[in-house]
């Protein structure tokens, strides 16, 4: 019984140490997710203004731009997959990779060659472990992305999109990221980024949390009239790359908030489970201690009876 008691005490100490770590990680994630949500909210006004400007140019002119013109035959599709750099975030990365796998299977069934672009160490490890090829990788910033990271990703996929297919270029670009809905709901989502389709949000989507689509103009609000100088095509040349960078940035921000929310939830669950496990081991330790006491009492009583019997003889 003494050996069992020692084992249970050691397990209790180990689980208590793990509980302290998971509780600390939960508190850190809870503090950081507030900042991540705030960054996403602060990016909305610029996103709204930029998207409306691009929409105005696209809808008030007949200019054909390489980033807005769909190719007649789509042979190769690029897929940007955004995951996390670290684990302990529940099914966050696994859900994004599953969504990406479904997208890749659908594109391949349409006869398209898929070229992955990986963001986050989890996606890189997933592809390297399975020895699958990919075009580029970025990591080290998934829980706190900066605009420079988005610019680097956007410039690479834009350059590849503008290349001819025969030269290794892509005919379309998709982005798989996790859309932040609330602290308890984060959904993997697919965005077809290139060629660009600038679409304003439906009124039904206005209450879906941090949705980075553009809100429609309010009733009675005057829609601004634009004049383009020096010309509409030059304005598009300037705005469209900015729009692509901004869309990638908002996807990174949404994914970062989702990652931290998933990590907080996972660490809270781990902390609660550790508490239950400690109670279980304490109960088993008490049972072992009580069994040991009962056995000692039985031995004492048995010894006393034996001594009494020997005296009678």
């Amino acid at each position: 019984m003494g050996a069992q008691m020692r084992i249970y005490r050691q397990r209790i100490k180990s689980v208590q140490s793990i509980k302290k770590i998971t509780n600390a990680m939960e508190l850190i994630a809870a503090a950081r997710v507030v900042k991540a949500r705030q960054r996403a909210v602060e990016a909305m006004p610029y996103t709204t203004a930029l998207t409306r400007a691009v929409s105005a140019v696209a809808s008030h002119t007949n200019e054909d731009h390489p980033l807005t013109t769909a190719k007649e035959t789509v042979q190769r599709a690029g897929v940007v997959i955004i995951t996390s750099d670290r684990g302990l975030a529940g099914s966050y990365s696994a859900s994004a990779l599953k969504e990406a796998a479904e997208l890749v299977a659908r594109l391949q069934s349409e006869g398209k060659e898929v070229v992955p672009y990986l963001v986050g160490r989890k996606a890189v490890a997933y592809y390297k472990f399975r020895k699958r090829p990919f075009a580029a990788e970025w990591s080290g910033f998934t829980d706190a992305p900066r605009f420079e990271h988005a610019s680097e990703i956007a410039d690479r996929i834009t350059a590849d999109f503008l290349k001819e297919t025969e030269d290794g270029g892509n005919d379309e670009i998709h982005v798989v990221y996790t859309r932040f809905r609330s602290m308890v709901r984060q959904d993997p989502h697919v965005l077809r980024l290139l060629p660009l389709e600038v679409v304003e949000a439906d009124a039904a989507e206005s209450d879906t949390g941090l949705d980075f689509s553009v809100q429609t103009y309010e009733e009675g609000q005057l829609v601004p009239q634009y004049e383009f100088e020096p010309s509409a095509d030059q304005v598009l040349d300037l705005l469209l790359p900015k729009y692509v960078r901004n869309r990638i940035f908002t996807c990174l921000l949404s994914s970062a908030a989702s990652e931290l929310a998933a990590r907080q939830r996972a660490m809270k669950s781990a902390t609660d489970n550790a508490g239950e496990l400690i109670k279980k081991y304490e109960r088993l330790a008490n049972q072992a201690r009580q069994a040991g006491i009962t056995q000692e009492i039985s031995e004492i009583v048995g010894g006393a009876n034996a001594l009494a019997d020997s005296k009678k003889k």
Side-chain angles (χ1 to χ4, degrees):
M1 293 299 174
Q4 281 188 335
M5 286 290 294
R6 284 195 299 272
I7 292 173
Y8 288 137
R9 290 195 184 104
Q10 289 173 354
R11 290 181 178 178
I12 289 171
K13 289 181 180 179
S14 298
V15 176
Q16 285 175 337
S17 299
I18 294 172
K19 183 179 179 182
K20 290 179 181 178
I21 294 172
T22 56
N23 186 53
M25 293 183 68
E26 176 192 350
L27 296 176
I28 292 171
R32 295 187 66 186
V33 72
V34 174
K35 186 180 293 184
R37 293 183 66 187
Q38 184 62 30
R39 291 185 67 201
V41 171
E42 290 172 352
M44 280 298 294
Y46 178 76
T47 301
T48 301
L50 180 60
T51 308
R52 283 179 175 166
V54 174
S55 179
V57 181
S59 59
H60 290 82
T61 66
N62 295 322
E63 298 290 340
D64 290 330
H65 193 276
L67 295 181
T68 60
T69 304
K71 299 181 181 180
E72 294 182 1
T73 303
V74 178
Q75 301 178 17
R76 187 177 294 113
V79 177
V80 181
I81 306 172
I82 300 177
T83 61
S84 65
D85 286 324
R86 297 183 293 125
L88 301 178
S91 62
Y92 165 75
S93 292
S95 297
L97 289 169
K98 180 181 178 182
E99 187 74 18
E102 293 175 357
L103 173 63
V104 169
R106 177 169 59 83
L107 293 173
Q108 290 176 339
S109 68
E110 297 172 357
K112 302 172 184 176
E113 178 187 350
V114 177
V115 181
Y117 297 82
L118 309 180
V119 180
R121 295 191 182 98
K122 289 298 179 180
V124 175
Y126 179 88
Y127 271 75
K128 285 185 176 179
F129 179 77
R130 289 162 178 78
K131 295 181 172 58
R132 297 178 183 177
F134 53 90
E137 63 175 274
W138 297 272
S139 60
F141 55 82
T142 58
D143 56 351
R146 298 195 303 271
F147 191 75
E148 308 89 80
H149 303 131
S151 296
E152 184 179 348
I153 298 170
D155 292 347
R156 170 62 189 273
I157 63 175
T158 301
D160 288 352
F161 178 77
L162 293 175
K163 287 181 183 177
E164 294 295 332
T165 307
E166 296 75 14
D167 298 330
N170 298 317
D171 301 317
E172 61 185 21
I173 299 290
H174 302 265
V175 181
V176 180
Y177 71 102
T178 305
R179 180 183 289 180
F180 185 93
R181 297 290 193 178
S182 67
M183 288 297 296
V184 296
R185 182 185 173 193
Q186 302 87 39
D187 302 325
H189 183 70
V190 177
L191 166 70
R192 204 199 75 171
L193 185 61
L194 294 172
L196 289 172
E197 290 181 330
V198 183
V199 181
E200 293 195 348
D202 297 331
E205 291 186 348
S206 61
D207 60 345
T208 55
L210 292 178
D211 186 2
F212 294 106
S213 300
V214 181
Q215 301 298 322
T216 55
Y217 288 102
E218 298 177 2
E219 184 177 356
Q221 183 178 358
L222 295 177
V223 179
Q225 299 297 318
Y226 294 90
E227 293 183 1
F228 309 112
E229 291 187 3
S231 64
D233 59 337
Q234 289 178 304
V235 172
L236 282 175
D237 286 338
L238 177 66
L239 285 181
L240 289 178
K242 291 181 180 292
Y243 177 79
V244 175
R245 295 187 193 107
N246 183 260
R247 289 298 286 180
I248 292 292
F249 187 47
T250 53
C251 289
L252 290 175
L253 290 176
S254 179
S255 296
S258 299
E259 176 186 346
L260 291 168
R263 180 166 292 114
Q264 179 193 0
R265 194 166 60 252
M267 291 301 98
K268 184 181 187 305
S269 177
T271 303
D272 294 342
N273 290 338
E276 293 297 323
L277 197 56
I278 290 171
K279 290 180 181 178
K280 176 184 175 181
Y281 283 139
E282 287 177 343
R283 184 170 61 253
L284 291 173
N286 288 335
Q287 290 175 354
R289 182 174 59 83
Q290 291 169 0
I293 293 172
T294 302
Q295 182 177 354
E296 289 177 1
I297 293 175
S298 299
E299 290 174 354
I300 292 171
V301 171
N305 291 335
L307 183 62
D309 291 342
S310 64
K311 287 182 179 180
K312 289 179 180 180
K313 293 179 181 179

